[in-house]
Amino acid sequence: MTPPAPSPAAPLVDGRGRAVTYLRLSLTARCNFRCTYCSPAPDGAGEGLRREDAARLVRIFAGLGVRRVRLTGGEPTLRPDLAEVAGDAAATPGIEEVALTTNGQRLEELAAPLRAAGVSRLNVSLDTLRPGRLAALAGRAADLPRILRGIGAAAVAGFASLKLNAVVIRGGNEDELGELCRFAWRHGAVPRFIELMPFGPGDPVPIAEVKRLLAAQGVRLEPDATRGWGPAVHMRGRAGPESGLVGFIGAMSESFCEGCNRVRVGADGALRSCLGGRDRLPLVPMLRAGASDAELGEAVRGALREKGERHDMGDASRGPLLPMRETGG
Ligand code: SAM
Ligand code: SF4
């Protein structure tokens, strides 16, 4: 049963009046893959959030009105205590959903225990169905048959939602979009196509072009009113007898920031008010130095008051972005 929601004195709102109800925790900056577009640097700094830090942060944010937590990374399944961290979050009064994003490499063995621990929504990154391409995109450790078995295990584990995320890269996978849709639908999953953001090298394919490519690859798209918690816009896709939803995340070319409801704590323990920002508030160091829940809550409110209308990821003059593996996507 979902624990009762605490009633926040004043719900968390950013400087533009957007309610913040969704916390993303990057549990580790370590990763077993080396995706070209993610963070070209070696594994990021930060030991990762300790289980007790994660649990306290979730409790504090729930008290401020957060209702959903996503566990991400780096690769969160590298954490031996992932099921415990997820279970702590799921048991926190006020938290309605715990979600996870993974590269799928360890999903075959973890799908059922994570579901049992309280993870209800799962996103798996799947950019290609071709082993040679996956090795070129993610490194030689990435094992496609194993990832596909993991997605099969997730499909039977009973998640309320299963999404397969593909970053669309020119010259990388833009000829496989139709195949990725059909594969996802056969597993009861929603394929989602993400515009490449400038955290690493690569040539992005704008969402408008992704839609044209899908049409050319046999997927007819129709409007659909489905809205999720995040910035994805959905359409209904049909390819012969197969059909299902398709999600689009136009991080660079579309109104990605409109209605943003997210806040992030990175694997370095610092709060980021924006995925594409450069500012960080050292929340976990404050917590370990003895700050009270009320003091931490006020610091979070202060950081969110400074949040801009939209990200400026494309503005290289503002300096490098914070590493994706530390921030968690
Ligand atoms: N390791 C896990 C995974 O790959 O799913 C979780 C962390 S990863 C940083 C979270 C998401 O960010 C993945 O779906 C990944 O494809 C996406 N991502 C990483 N770098 C990106 C970029 N430059 N542009 C767009 N999405 C990116
Ligand atoms: Fe690792 Fe995920 Fe980044 Fe790929 S996208 S390098 S799997 S954190």
Side-chain angles (χ1 to χ4, degrees):
M1 205 174 72
T2 309
S7 20
L12 208 49
V13 172
D14 72 19
R16 311 290 158 156
R18 293 169 293 202
V20 178
T21 52
Y22 182 5
L23 170 67
R24 300 176 63 111
L25 292 180
S26 175
L27 294 180
T28 175
R30 291 173 51 234
C31 190
N32 42 358
F33 289 7
R34 289 285 172 271
C35 299
T36 49
Y37 49 70
C38 180
S39 302
D43 279 355
E47 60 178 290
L49 299 181
R50 291 182 199 151
R51 177 181 172 188
E52 61 271 23
D53 295 339
R56 183 157 169 220
L57 287 175
V58 171
R59 191 164 45 75
I60 292 171
F61 277 95
L64 295 171
V66 161
R67 295 290 166 257
R68 174 186 278 201
V69 175
R70 178 169 297 278
L71 306 175
T72 176
E75 178 47 41
T77 62
L78 295 184
R79 288 277 300 243
D81 59 354
L82 177 60
E84 287 79 13
V85 173
D88 293 343
T92 303
I95 296 302
E96 293 165 7
E97 286 183 342
V98 178
L100 178 81
T101 304
T102 173
N103 61 28
Q105 180 96 344
R106 300 205 54 217
L107 203 49
E108 189 179 11
E109 56 273 26
L110 289 179
L114 288 172
R115 180 68 196 96
V119 175
S120 59
R121 296 180 167 261
L122 189 67
N123 290 2
V124 185
S125 299
L126 182 69
D127 294 338
T128 176
L129 292 165
R130 304 190 191 168
R133 283 189 175 179
L134 185 68
L137 277 172
R140 286 210 314 276
D143 180 340
L144 188 62
R146 196 169 154 181
I147 295 168
L148 300 186
R149 287 197 303 274
I151 292 170
V156 297
F159 290 97
S161 144
L162 177 61
K163 293 175 186 151
L164 302 186
N165 288 341
V167 178
V168 186
I169 308 142
R170 199 175 300 284
N173 60 356
E174 85 267 52
D175 55 347
E176 294 187 56
L177 309 185
E179 259 176 87
L180 286 166
C181 283
R182 287 183 278 265
F183 175 85
W185 295 336
R186 269 176 231 141
H187 287 81
V190 176
R192 300 200 308 173
F193 297 107
I194 306 176
E195 262 176 19
L196 182 74
M197 295 176 260
F199 288 89
D203 191 6
V205 181
I207 292 299
E209 190 178 339
V210 168
K211 290 179 181 169
R212 288 196 294 275
L213 287 166
L214 280 169
Q217 291 167 30
V219 178
R220 224 173 50 249
L221 293 170
E222 297 162 9
D224 191 281
T226 304
R227 284 290 326 172
W229 271 63
V233 172
H234 292 90
M235 297 191 81
R236 177 134 316 255
R238 293 183 201 283
E242 296 176 285
S243 72
L245 286 178
V246 188
F248 299 95
I249 303 182
M252 304 305 291
S253 71
E254 301 197 339
S255 51
F256 179 67
C257 307
E258 213 173 81
C260 179
N261 58 358
R262 277 149 287 157
V263 62
R264 295 170 168 82
V265 179
D268 57 352
L271 179 128
R272 289 114 158 103
S273 60
C274 174
L275 170 65
R278 280 90 174 161
D279 300 330
R280 18 185 172 190
L281 171 78
L283 205 56
V284 172
M286 288 166 65
L287 176 154
R288 290 187 193 158
S292 68
D293 288 5
E295 286 165 340
L296 293 166
E298 273 321 298
V300 169
R301 285 185 199 283
L304 284 167
R305 270 196 292 274
E306 303 303 314
K307 179 167 170 166
E309 183 77 43
R310 58 166 288 125
H311 71 73
D312 55 11
M313 283 188 235
D315 183 356
S317 72
R318 298 237 24 242
L321 294 168
L322 302 177
M324 177 63 109
R325 276 212 295 272
E326 220 173 76
T327 302

